Amino acid sequence: MNFTKQTIGVVGSGSWATAMIKMLGDNRVEKSIFWWVRNKQTADYIKDYKHNPNYLSAVSVKIPKRNIHTDIRTVIAHADIVILNTPAAFLKDALKGITPDMLKGKIIVSAIKGIVPDENQIVGDFLQQQYAIPIDKIAVVGGPCHAEEVSLEKLSYLTIASRDTHVAALVASLIETRYIKTNVSDDIYGTEYAAILKNIYAVAGGICHGLGFGDNFQAVLISNAIREMAEFVNTVKPIDRDIKESAYLGDLLVTAYSQFSRNRTFGNMVGKGYHVKSAQLEMNMVAEGYYAAYCIQKICNVHHIELPICSAVYQILYENHSPAEAISRLAEKLT
Protein backbone atom coordinates (compact mmCIF):
# COMPACT_ATOMS: atom_id res chain seq x y z
CA MET A 1 0.00 0.00 0.00
CA ASN A 2 1.38 3.42 -0.94
CA PHE A 3 1.04 6.40 1.35
CA THR A 4 2.20 10.01 1.20
CA LYS A 5 5.12 11.06 3.40
CA GLN A 6 4.06 11.25 7.04
CA THR A 7 5.36 13.10 10.07
CA ILE A 8 5.32 11.03 13.25
CA GLY A 9 5.38 12.35 16.81
CA VAL A 10 6.39 9.92 19.57
CA VAL A 11 5.33 10.82 23.11
CA GLY A 12 7.36 9.20 25.89
CA SER A 13 10.97 8.23 26.51
CA GLY A 14 10.87 4.86 28.28
CA SER A 15 11.93 1.48 26.91
CA TRP A 16 8.92 0.94 24.66
CA ALA A 17 9.09 4.51 23.31
CA THR A 18 12.79 4.01 22.57
CA ALA A 19 11.98 0.72 20.82
CA MET A 20 9.34 2.56 18.77
CA ILE A 21 11.92 5.19 17.76
CA LYS A 22 14.18 2.35 16.61
CA MET A 23 11.44 0.67 14.57
CA LEU A 24 10.41 3.93 12.93
CA GLY A 25 14.05 4.75 12.17
CA ASP A 26 14.83 1.31 10.71
CA ASN A 27 11.64 1.29 8.63
CA ARG A 28 12.37 2.23 5.00
CA VAL A 29 9.30 4.38 4.33
CA GLU A 30 10.27 8.04 3.99
CA LYS A 31 9.01 10.00 6.98
CA SER A 32 9.89 12.67 9.53
CA ILE A 33 10.10 11.64 13.20
CA PHE A 34 9.72 13.97 16.18
CA TRP A 35 10.27 12.80 19.77
CA TRP A 36 8.98 14.24 23.03
CA VAL A 37 11.35 13.51 25.91
CA ARG A 38 10.14 14.83 29.26
CA ASN A 39 13.49 15.32 30.99
CA LYS A 40 15.78 18.00 29.54
CA GLN A 41 18.96 16.29 30.72
CA THR A 42 17.88 13.08 28.99
CA ALA A 43 16.90 14.96 25.84
CA ASP A 44 20.27 16.74 25.74
CA TYR A 45 22.11 13.43 26.18
CA ILE A 46 20.17 11.83 23.33
CA LYS A 47 20.91 14.82 21.09
CA ASP A 48 24.64 14.67 21.86
CA TYR A 49 25.22 10.90 21.93
CA LYS A 50 22.32 9.40 19.90
CA HIS A 51 21.39 6.99 22.71
CA ASN A 52 18.83 7.00 25.51
CA PRO A 53 20.93 6.88 28.72
CA ASN A 54 18.13 5.36 30.81
CA TYR A 55 16.42 2.75 28.60
CA LEU A 56 17.68 0.45 25.82
CA SER A 57 20.93 2.38 25.82
CA ALA A 58 22.36 0.24 23.01
CA VAL A 59 19.74 1.55 20.55
CA SER A 60 21.09 4.10 18.09
CA VAL A 61 18.72 7.05 17.68
CA LYS A 62 18.49 7.90 13.98
CA ILE A 63 16.57 11.16 14.09
CA PRO A 64 17.97 14.70 13.86
CA LYS A 65 18.67 16.41 17.18
CA ARG A 66 16.46 19.32 16.10
CA ASN A 67 13.49 16.91 16.17
CA ILE A 68 13.92 16.01 19.85
CA HIS A 69 11.94 18.29 22.16
CA THR A 70 10.92 18.69 25.79
CA ASP A 71 7.86 20.69 24.74
CA ILE A 72 5.13 18.21 23.80
CA ARG A 73 3.15 20.89 21.99
CA THR A 74 5.95 21.32 19.46
CA VAL A 75 6.03 17.59 18.72
CA ILE A 76 2.25 17.35 18.36
CA ALA A 77 2.08 20.46 16.18
CA HIS A 78 4.47 18.87 13.66
CA ALA A 79 2.86 15.42 13.64
CA ASP A 80 0.29 13.88 11.32
CA ILE A 81 0.40 10.73 13.48
CA VAL A 82 0.93 10.89 17.26
CA ILE A 83 2.15 7.70 18.96
CA LEU A 84 1.51 7.65 22.71
CA ASN A 85 4.19 5.66 24.56
CA THR A 86 3.91 6.66 28.21
CA PRO A 87 2.68 4.44 31.04
CA ALA A 88 -1.11 4.74 31.27
CA ALA A 89 -0.86 6.19 34.78
CA PHE A 90 1.21 9.12 33.44
CA LEU A 91 -0.74 9.81 30.24
CA LYS A 92 -2.87 12.63 31.62
CA ASP A 93 0.18 14.39 33.01
CA ALA A 94 2.01 14.02 29.69
CA LEU A 95 -0.94 15.55 27.80
CA LYS A 96 -1.41 18.41 30.25
CA GLY A 97 -1.95 21.60 28.27
CA ILE A 98 -2.93 19.74 25.10
CA THR A 99 -6.39 20.69 23.83
CA PRO A 100 -8.73 18.80 21.48
CA ASP A 101 -8.02 21.37 18.77
CA MET A 102 -4.31 20.51 18.89
CA LEU A 103 -5.13 16.87 18.05
CA LYS A 104 -7.87 17.56 15.54
CA GLY A 105 -7.46 15.67 12.26
CA LYS A 106 -4.49 13.63 13.48
CA ILE A 107 -4.23 9.86 13.77
CA ILE A 108 -3.60 8.95 17.41
CA VAL A 109 -1.86 5.64 18.09
CA SER A 110 -1.87 4.07 21.54
CA ALA A 111 1.17 1.92 22.23
CA ILE A 112 0.12 1.98 25.90
CA LYS A 113 -0.83 -1.32 27.50
CA GLY A 114 -2.78 -0.08 30.47
CA ILE A 115 -5.86 1.73 31.76
CA VAL A 116 -6.02 5.43 32.64
CA PRO A 117 -6.55 5.06 36.41
CA ASP A 118 -8.80 7.90 37.59
CA GLU A 119 -11.18 7.63 34.65
CA ASN A 120 -10.93 3.83 34.68
CA GLN A 121 -10.87 3.89 30.87
CA ILE A 122 -8.85 2.21 28.17
CA VAL A 123 -6.80 4.76 26.25
CA GLY A 124 -9.08 4.64 23.20
CA ASP A 125 -12.14 5.59 25.25
CA PHE A 126 -10.15 8.24 27.12
CA LEU A 127 -9.07 9.86 23.85
CA GLN A 128 -12.61 9.86 22.50
CA GLN A 129 -14.17 11.38 25.60
CA GLN A 130 -11.44 13.80 26.70
CA TYR A 131 -10.09 14.92 23.34
CA ALA A 132 -12.96 14.26 20.93
CA ILE A 133 -10.81 11.97 18.77
CA PRO A 134 -13.06 10.01 16.36
CA ILE A 135 -12.80 6.26 16.89
CA ASP A 136 -11.77 5.78 13.25
CA LYS A 137 -8.74 8.03 13.87
CA ILE A 138 -7.46 5.87 16.76
CA ALA A 139 -5.17 2.85 16.41
CA VAL A 140 -3.76 0.45 19.00
CA VAL A 141 -0.44 -1.40 18.91
CA GLY A 142 -0.59 -4.94 20.30
CA GLY A 143 2.07 -7.58 20.89
CA PRO A 144 3.58 -10.01 21.47
CA CYS A 145 6.67 -7.84 21.51
CA HIS A 146 9.12 -6.87 24.27
CA ALA A 147 11.15 -3.71 23.82
CA GLU A 148 14.34 -5.52 24.84
CA GLU A 149 14.00 -7.97 21.93
CA VAL A 150 13.29 -5.11 19.52
CA SER A 151 16.59 -3.56 20.60
CA LEU A 152 18.30 -6.89 19.83
CA GLU A 153 16.47 -7.09 16.47
CA LYS A 154 14.89 -10.42 17.36
CA LEU A 155 12.12 -11.33 14.92
CA SER A 156 8.89 -10.00 16.43
CA TYR A 157 5.25 -9.49 15.44
CA LEU A 158 2.97 -6.55 16.13
CA THR A 159 -0.77 -6.24 15.59
CA ILE A 160 -2.06 -2.79 14.61
CA ALA A 161 -5.77 -2.48 15.29
CA SER A 162 -8.21 0.22 14.25
CA ARG A 163 -11.86 0.22 13.37
CA ASP A 164 -10.66 1.76 10.09
CA THR A 165 -8.27 -0.88 8.75
CA HIS A 166 -6.79 1.67 6.31
CA VAL A 167 -5.55 3.61 9.33
CA ALA A 168 -4.15 0.42 10.84
CA ALA A 169 -2.42 -0.43 7.55
CA LEU A 170 -0.87 3.04 7.38
CA VAL A 171 0.57 2.75 10.88
CA ALA A 172 1.77 -0.80 10.17
CA SER A 173 3.57 0.37 7.03
CA LEU A 174 5.61 2.84 9.10
CA ILE A 175 6.93 0.43 11.74
CA GLU A 176 7.53 -2.86 9.93
CA THR A 177 11.18 -3.73 9.39
CA ARG A 178 13.21 -6.83 8.54
CA TYR A 179 12.80 -7.89 12.19
CA ILE A 180 9.24 -6.55 12.77
CA LYS A 181 6.31 -8.14 10.99
CA THR A 182 2.86 -6.59 11.30
CA ASN A 183 -0.74 -7.76 11.27
CA VAL A 184 -3.76 -5.51 10.73
CA SER A 185 -6.97 -5.94 12.73
CA ASP A 186 -10.30 -4.17 13.12
CA ASP A 187 -10.66 -5.36 16.74
CA ILE A 188 -9.42 -2.21 18.43
CA TYR A 189 -11.22 -2.86 21.73
CA GLY A 190 -10.29 -6.54 22.00
CA THR A 191 -6.66 -5.79 21.20
CA GLU A 192 -6.47 -3.05 23.81
CA TYR A 193 -8.27 -4.99 26.55
CA ALA A 194 -6.16 -8.10 25.86
CA ALA A 195 -3.00 -6.01 26.24
CA ILE A 196 -4.26 -4.86 29.63
CA LEU A 197 -5.48 -8.21 30.90
CA LYS A 198 -2.29 -10.07 30.02
CA ASN A 199 -0.40 -7.81 32.42
CA ILE A 200 -2.62 -8.95 35.29
CA TYR A 201 -2.09 -12.58 34.33
CA ALA A 202 1.66 -12.00 34.19
CA VAL A 203 1.54 -10.58 37.72
CA ALA A 204 -0.36 -13.72 38.75
CA GLY A 205 2.25 -15.92 37.12
CA GLY A 206 5.02 -14.03 38.90
CA ILE A 207 3.29 -14.33 42.26
CA CYS A 208 2.93 -18.08 41.75
CA HIS A 209 6.59 -18.41 40.77
CA GLY A 210 7.62 -16.41 43.84
CA LEU A 211 5.54 -18.75 45.99
CA GLY A 212 7.35 -21.77 44.55
CA PHE A 213 4.74 -23.16 42.17
CA GLY A 214 6.24 -25.04 39.22
CA ASP A 215 5.83 -25.12 35.46
CA ASN A 216 2.92 -27.58 35.59
CA PHE A 217 0.83 -25.17 37.64
CA GLN A 218 1.87 -22.20 35.50
CA ALA A 219 0.62 -23.99 32.40
CA VAL A 220 -2.78 -24.55 34.00
CA LEU A 221 -2.86 -20.95 35.24
CA ILE A 222 -2.25 -19.50 31.78
CA SER A 223 -4.64 -21.89 30.02
CA ASN A 224 -7.32 -20.66 32.44
CA ALA A 225 -6.19 -17.08 31.84
CA ILE A 226 -6.85 -17.19 28.09
CA ARG A 227 -10.36 -18.49 28.80
CA GLU A 228 -10.91 -15.65 31.26
CA MET A 229 -9.66 -13.17 28.65
CA ALA A 230 -12.08 -14.55 26.07
CA GLU A 231 -14.99 -14.28 28.48
CA PHE A 232 -14.12 -10.69 29.37
CA VAL A 233 -13.60 -9.26 25.87
CA ASN A 234 -16.55 -11.16 24.43
CA THR A 235 -18.78 -9.74 27.16
CA VAL A 236 -17.51 -6.16 27.19
CA LYS A 237 -16.95 -5.76 23.43
CA PRO A 238 -18.50 -8.67 21.52
CA ILE A 239 -17.13 -9.12 18.00
CA ASP A 240 -16.11 -12.06 15.81
CA ARG A 241 -12.53 -12.70 17.02
CA ASP A 242 -10.19 -15.67 17.40
CA ILE A 243 -8.69 -15.53 20.89
CA LYS A 244 -5.86 -17.82 19.74
CA GLU A 245 -4.38 -15.11 17.49
CA SER A 246 -1.07 -13.57 18.49
CA ALA A 247 -2.54 -10.25 19.68
CA TYR A 248 -4.40 -12.16 22.39
CA LEU A 249 -2.82 -15.53 23.18
CA GLY A 250 0.64 -14.64 21.91
CA ASP A 251 0.86 -11.42 23.91
CA LEU A 252 -0.39 -13.27 27.00
CA LEU A 253 2.24 -16.00 26.67
CA VAL A 254 5.24 -13.71 26.20
CA THR A 255 4.20 -11.46 29.09
CA ALA A 256 3.49 -14.38 31.41
CA TYR A 257 6.75 -16.26 30.72
CA SER A 258 9.43 -13.87 29.43
CA GLN A 259 12.47 -12.84 31.46
CA PHE A 260 11.81 -9.32 30.17
CA SER A 261 8.29 -9.11 31.63
CA ARG A 262 8.19 -6.35 34.22
CA ASN A 263 4.75 -7.52 35.37
CA ARG A 264 6.00 -11.05 36.01
CA THR A 265 9.01 -9.59 37.83
CA PHE A 266 6.74 -7.43 39.98
CA GLY A 267 4.50 -10.41 40.79
CA ASN A 268 7.51 -12.57 41.62
CA MET A 269 8.67 -10.01 44.17
CA VAL A 270 5.21 -9.91 45.78
CA GLY A 271 5.11 -13.72 45.87
CA LYS A 272 8.49 -13.78 47.60
CA GLY A 273 7.18 -11.55 50.36
CA TYR A 274 7.84 -7.99 49.22
CA HIS A 275 5.23 -5.45 50.26
CA VAL A 276 3.45 -4.15 47.14
CA LYS A 277 4.78 -0.60 47.53
CA SER A 278 8.32 -1.86 48.18
CA ALA A 279 8.22 -3.95 45.01
CA GLN A 280 7.04 -0.92 43.02
CA LEU A 281 9.81 1.28 44.41
CA GLU A 282 12.52 -1.27 43.66
CA MET A 283 11.54 -1.61 40.00
CA ASN A 284 12.89 0.94 37.53
CA MET A 285 9.86 0.58 35.26
CA VAL A 286 6.09 0.68 35.74
CA ALA A 287 4.25 -2.64 36.09
CA GLU A 288 0.97 -1.81 34.35
CA GLY A 289 -0.68 -4.90 35.83
CA TYR A 290 -0.83 -3.22 39.24
CA TYR A 291 -3.13 -0.44 38.00
CA ALA A 292 -4.97 -2.76 35.62
CA ALA A 293 -5.98 -5.14 38.43
CA TYR A 294 -7.96 -2.38 40.14
CA CYS A 295 -9.58 -1.05 36.98
CA ILE A 296 -10.53 -4.44 35.54
CA GLN A 297 -12.10 -5.44 38.85
CA LYS A 298 -14.36 -2.38 38.67
CA ILE A 299 -15.36 -3.18 35.09
CA CYS A 300 -16.09 -6.78 36.07
CA ASN A 301 -18.36 -5.55 38.85
CA VAL A 302 -20.34 -3.45 36.36
CA HIS A 303 -20.73 -6.29 33.85
CA HIS A 304 -21.12 -9.04 36.49
CA ILE A 305 -18.15 -10.98 35.13
CA GLU A 306 -16.27 -13.44 37.34
CA LEU A 307 -12.55 -13.70 36.58
CA PRO A 308 -10.98 -15.78 39.39
CA ILE A 309 -7.36 -15.05 38.44
CA CYS A 310 -7.88 -11.30 38.13
CA SER A 311 -9.86 -11.32 41.37
CA ALA A 312 -7.05 -13.12 43.22
CA VAL A 313 -4.48 -10.58 41.99
CA TYR A 314 -6.78 -7.72 43.02
CA GLN A 315 -7.19 -9.21 46.50
CA ILE A 316 -3.43 -9.56 46.93
CA LEU A 317 -2.52 -6.10 45.62
CA TYR A 318 -5.39 -4.02 47.00
CA GLU A 319 -6.99 -5.93 49.88
CA ASN A 320 -3.79 -7.17 51.54
CA HIS A 321 -4.74 -10.84 51.21
CA SER A 322 -1.89 -13.25 51.81
CA PRO A 323 -0.48 -14.30 48.40
CA ALA A 324 -0.18 -17.92 49.59
CA GLU A 325 -3.78 -18.04 50.80
CA ALA A 326 -5.22 -16.21 47.78
CA ILE A 327 -3.43 -18.49 45.32
CA SER A 328 -4.41 -21.55 47.34
CA ARG A 329 -8.07 -20.54 47.00
CA LEU A 330 -7.54 -19.81 43.32
CA ALA A 331 -5.97 -23.22 42.73
CA GLU A 332 -9.23 -24.90 43.75
CA LYS A 333 -11.06 -23.05 40.94
CA LEU A 334 -8.64 -23.82 38.10
CA THR A 335 -9.26 -26.67 35.69
Side-chain angles (χ1 to χ4, degrees):
M1 187 175 290
N2 294 318
F3 301 102
T4 57
K5 181 179 177 180
Q6 301 288 335
T7 301
I8 319 299
V10 176
V11 173
S13 54
S15 58
W16 189 224
T18 305
M20 184 64 68
I21 288 292
K22 175 175 172 58
M23 289 184 281
L24 290 165
D26 289 347
N27 172 272
R28 294 184 178 182
V29 175
E30 186 180 4
K31 68 182 80 63
S32 296
I33 306 167
F34 286 77
W35 192 6
W36 176 70
V37 177
R38 180 192 299 272
N39 182 276
K40 184 179 184 302
Q41 184 177 1
T42 301
D44 289 343
Y45 187 99
I46 295 171
K47 289 177 183 179
D48 290 340
Y49 300 105
K50 296 293 185 181
H51 295 275
N52 186 337
N54 302 315
Y55 300 96
L56 304 187
S57 56
V59 168
S60 177
V61 176
K62 300 177 181 178
I63 61 177
K65 63 170 62 178
R66 65 179 180 275
N67 289 7
I68 300 170
H69 297 273
T70 55
D71 182 0
I72 190 173
R73 292 169 297 183
T74 301
V75 170
I76 287 177
H78 279 95
D80 305 306
I81 300 173
V82 178
I83 302 179
L84 302 174
N85 268 91
T86 69
F90 304 149
L91 178 61
K92 287 193 299 181
D93 186 54
L95 295 179
K96 190 178 297 182
I98 300 302
T99 66
D101 282 345
M102 295 177 186
L103 298 175
K104 189 174 182 179
K106 301 178 187 295
I107 292 172
I108 311 298
V109 181
S110 172
I112 299 170
K113 299 182 178 182
I115 288 182
V116 183
D118 294 336
E119 285 72 13
N120 201 37
Q121 292 177 314
I122 56 175
V123 175
D125 285 347
F126 176 79
L127 293 172
Q128 289 179 74
Q129 292 190 18
Q130 301 297 323
Y131 292 94
I133 308 297
I135 183 63
D136 290 347
K137 286 284 190 178
I138 298 173
V140 171
V141 179
C145 191
H146 279 306
E148 291 82 359
E149 291 203 352
V150 172
S151 72
L152 297 170
E153 300 187 358
K154 299 283 189 180
L155 182 61
S156 303
Y157 292 72
L158 289 172
T159 293
I160 316 301
S162 176
R163 202 166 73 172
D164 183 342
T165 53
H166 291 93
V167 168
L170 169 58
V171 175
S173 74
L174 297 169
I175 60 177
E176 57 190 7
T177 70
R178 63 176 178 78
Y179 56 88
I180 297 291
K181 295 187 181 295
T182 58
N183 301 305
V184 169
S185 169
D186 65 350
D187 185 16
I188 182 172
Y189 288 105
T191 300
E192 188 162 10
Y193 272 121
I196 293 162
L197 285 161
K198 54 95 177 181
N199 288 329
I200 303 174
Y201 298 129
V203 172
I207 291 172
C208 294
H209 184 268
L211 288 168
F213 286 85
D215 293 344
N216 294 341
F217 182 80
Q218 292 280 359
V220 173
L221 179 76
I222 300 307
S223 64
N224 279 261
I226 193 63
R227 296 200 297 272
E228 279 195 14
M229 182 183 290
E231 180 180 356
F232 181 92
V233 295
N234 290 335
T235 300
V236 175
K237 291 293 179 181
I239 190 177
D240 184 19
R241 60 172 64 88
D242 182 356
I243 204 71
K244 298 186 296 297
E245 290 181 354
S246 60
Y248 317 106
L249 178 58
D251 206 6
L252 170 62
L253 292 174
V254 76
T255 310
Y257 291 126
S258 174
Q259 62 177 318
F260 297 123
S261 173
R262 66 192 70 174
N263 289 284
R264 180 181 169 86
T265 299
F266 170 69
N268 186 57
M269 294 169 71
V270 172
K272 286 184 178 297
Y274 279 74
H275 187 275
V276 171
K277 295 300 181 185
S278 298
Q280 288 178 305
L281 289 171
E282 189 158 319
M283 292 183 65
N284 187 37
M285 297 180 287
V286 174
E288 293 278 16
Y290 170 77
Y291 301 99
Y294 179 87
C295 298
I296 290 295
Q297 185 65 39
K298 299 308 177 188
I299 295 172
C300 285
N301 292 342
V302 170
H303 290 274
H304 306 291
I305 308 170
E306 291 189 13
L307 305 181
I309 301 173
C310 289
S311 180
V313 173
Y314 172 79
Q315 291 167 358
I316 293 167
L317 299 184
Y318 289 93
E319 296 183 343
N320 297 317
H321 287 219
S322 158
E325 293 177 4
I327 298 302
S328 179
R329 292 193 299 270
L330 173 65
E332 295 302 315
K333 301 176 182 178
L334 301 181
T335 60

